[in-house]
Amino acid sequence: DVQLVESGGGSVQAGGSLRLSCAFSASSYTHYCLGWFRQVLGTEREGVATISSSGLTTNYADSVKGRFTISRDNAKSTLYLQMNSLKPGDTAVYYCAADLVGPSRTCELGHEFRYWGQGTQVTVS
């Protein structure tokens, strides 16, 4: 059974930083590509960043390039999103996602992820 649990959301002033974490429980953790998505109520979910199953390849939305960094710690089965220089436009519920793809496989932002966390609110004012 695959479970993802996000943490680290909260409220921050513009220009500040937050780090989101996603604890991931499943066998063959390194065979999953992972991603972060966000959604504002009433709008479509937006892909923020993805990371390959090996952790060597990352993809970012243009809106967050240079400000956000996605990473994974395979020893801890945890996914991270370091968010710097936050803007009010980054306010959303952030979700982590996972999909079983095999070793050393890449997922683009448009990939259909199968497993999702419950979300964590990020508010930038």
Side-chain angles (χ1 to χ4, degrees):
D1 190 23
V2 177
Q3 291 186 330
L4 300 97
V5 180
E6 301 98 335
S7 61
S11 297
V12 64
Q13 291 188 338
S17 298
L18 282 174
R19 188 176 81 156
L20 304 183
S21 299
C22 176
F24 178 79
S25 62
S27 59
S28 302
Y29 172 75
T30 57
H31 289 191
Y32 286 78
C33 66
L34 305 171
W36 286 99
F37 293 76
R38 64 188 183 186
Q39 188 170 24
V40 176
L41 188 63
T43 68
E44 290 189 358
R45 187 169 55 205
E46 173 190 18
V48 174
T50 62
I51 188 166
S52 63
S53 52
S54 66
L56 296 178
T57 303
T58 56
N59 294 286
Y60 294 93
D62 288 342
S63 58
V64 306
K65 280 181 182 177
R67 301 188 298 122
F68 290 11
T69 302
I70 188 172
S71 62
R72 62 191 293 167
D73 185 333
N74 288 342
K76 296 181 179 180
S77 297
T78 302
L79 173 71
Y80 301 101
L81 184 68
Q82 178 66 43
M83 305 185 293
N84 298 328
S85 302
L86 283 161
K87 305 175 181 179
D90 295 318
T91 296
V93 177
Y94 283 71
Y95 300 89
C96 62
D99 196 30
L100 182 63
V101 296
S104 301
R105 296 294 298 274
T106 301
C107 294
E108 303 296 330
L109 287 173
H111 184 84
E112 291 290 332
F113 285 84
R114 180 174 181 181
Y115 304 100
W116 294 84
Q118 82 288 350
T120 186
Q121 176 71 45
V122 172
T123 302
V124 185
S125 59

